[in-house]
Each structure stands twice: as structure tokens, then as C-alpha cells.
Amino acid sequence: MVLALDTLAAAGPLFVGGIGGPEILVILLVFGLPAVLVLIAAGLGREVLTGANEDSALEALREEYARGEIDREEYEERRDVLVDEGRD
């Protein structure tokens, strides 16, 4: 037992000479993971709060109508479908 402790003490401190794998993992987990989670939450929150999907589809439909690619009847039918889907 004494021999084993002397061998460990003679080896010196672990991770001499810089940052090793375990330290980098801890740094990534402590700083990287929360940052990624905040960015994901911010993106999802913005989409939910602003209704980004619904707005972009309606905007595309308005642009088609404005360019004359669809007539008024088709515009109103497609708009009603998009608005009804947004309520579900």
C-alpha cells in the first residue's frame, strides 16, 4: 500500500502542461450547453410569439395576388385555409 501511494505522489500533478480532455468537456458543458439552450429557446419563442410560419405563408400569398399570379377568388380561398389552420 505504501509503495502504491509513493508511486502516485512521484507522478506529480495530473494535467500538467495545459488543458486536457476533461477540462474542455467541463468548459463546454458549463458555458456551451446553456448558450445553445438559450439560442434555441429564443428562436422557438420568437416563432411562437410572432406567428412566423403563418405570417410568412400569408405574405407569400399576398405577393402572388399582387403580382397577378392568382385571382381574387383563389386568393380568398387560400387565405381562408391559412387563417383556419392558424386557429387550430
Side-chain angles (χ1 to χ4, degrees):
M1 179 81 159
V2 174
L3 180 60
L5 292 176
D6 289 341
T7 305
L8 287 175
L14 301 175
F15 311 115
V16 172
I19 295 177
E23 290 91 354
I24 291 174
L25 181 61
V26 169
I27 290 169
L28 288 174
L29 288 175
V30 169
F31 295 106
L33 186 61
V36 168
L37 292 175
V38 166
L39 291 173
I40 290 172
L44 293 175
R46 184 180 318 117
E47 184 176 308
V48 169
L49 291 174
T50 61
N53 286 338
E54 180 182 330
D55 289 343
S56 63
L58 284 173
E59 184 63 29
L61 181 62
R62 286 185 195 110
E63 289 174 5
E64 285 183 39
Y65 180 63
R67 288 191 298 260
E69 296 174 3
I70 58 175
D71 62 0
R72 182 180 182 99
E73 182 180 335
E74 184 175 353
Y75 168 77
E76 290 175 353
E77 288 174 10
R78 291 169 61 184
R79 184 195 61 202
D80 291 343
V81 168
L82 288 172
V83 171
D84 288 341
E85 286 178 1
R87 293 180 187 159
D88 293 338

